[in-house]
Amino acid sequence: MHMLNGVPLLRIAASSLMIGAGLFLAVWAIVALKSHHTALGSMKNTSRLVTSGPFRLTRNPIYLGYMIAALGVALAANNLWTAGLAVCAAVATHLWVIKREEQFLQARFGYEFERYRRRTRPWL
């Protein structure tokens, strides 16, 4: 097995890919929101429902990106506890943040959001 300082190269490559992909997805989503001139991090100032770019793939690309990156960090550290915490954070985010955000978007955009919600998964 090929190693770098005692760490298997496959684990280094996989964790690097996950961290990079997760951060790329999150940044891509932020750029998409900014390019549509809508709020980032403030539901009150949401002016448009963005359904293009990474939002075609998932309703929550920023949270998904953070989750993928966190799992990549757990893999790099070879630490199951870190992976478990990342999953717990994703569940908590879904229950307490995403559900509230989606209620707001449903009230704000009505049928447009409902149509988007039906065709796009919350995570993957």
Side-chain angles (χ1 to χ4, degrees):
M1 181 181 300
H2 294 71
M3 306 271 242
L4 179 67
N5 295 328
V7 179
L9 288 178
L10 182 58
R11 191 169 93 216
I12 292 170
S15 61
S16 297
L17 182 63
M18 289 174 71
I19 293 167
L23 293 176
F24 174 81
L25 181 60
V27 169
W28 184 23
I30 291 167
V31 169
L33 290 173
K34 294 283 188 186
S35 72
H36 284 84
H37 306 288
T38 193
L40 175 65
S42 171
M43 288 187 294
K44 292 179 206 170
N45 297 325
T46 299
S47 59
R48 293 190 178 130
L49 181 64
V50 179
T51 61
S52 60
F55 293 92
R56 285 178 293 125
L57 309 171
T58 172
R59 294 194 311 263
N60 301 289
I62 296 172
Y63 301 134
L64 178 60
Y66 291 163
M67 171 70 167
I68 293 168
L71 290 173
V73 169
L75 180 60
N78 198 26
N79 189 308
L80 195 55
W81 284 103
T82 304
L85 287 173
V87 171
C88 288
V91 169
T93 298
H94 186 81
L95 293 175
W96 289 294
V97 178
I98 292 172
K99 292 228 182 245
R100 189 175 57 123
E101 288 177 350
E102 291 199 339
Q103 288 172 345
F104 171 82
L105 293 171
Q106 180 69 50
R108 178 94 179 216
F109 298 105
Y111 178 72
E112 183 183 3
F113 177 74
E114 183 60 29
R115 199 173 71 203
Y116 171 62
R117 190 186 65 75
R118 285 187 191 158
R119 73 174 186 262
T120 309
R121 293 176 180 226
W123 292 92
L124 273 182

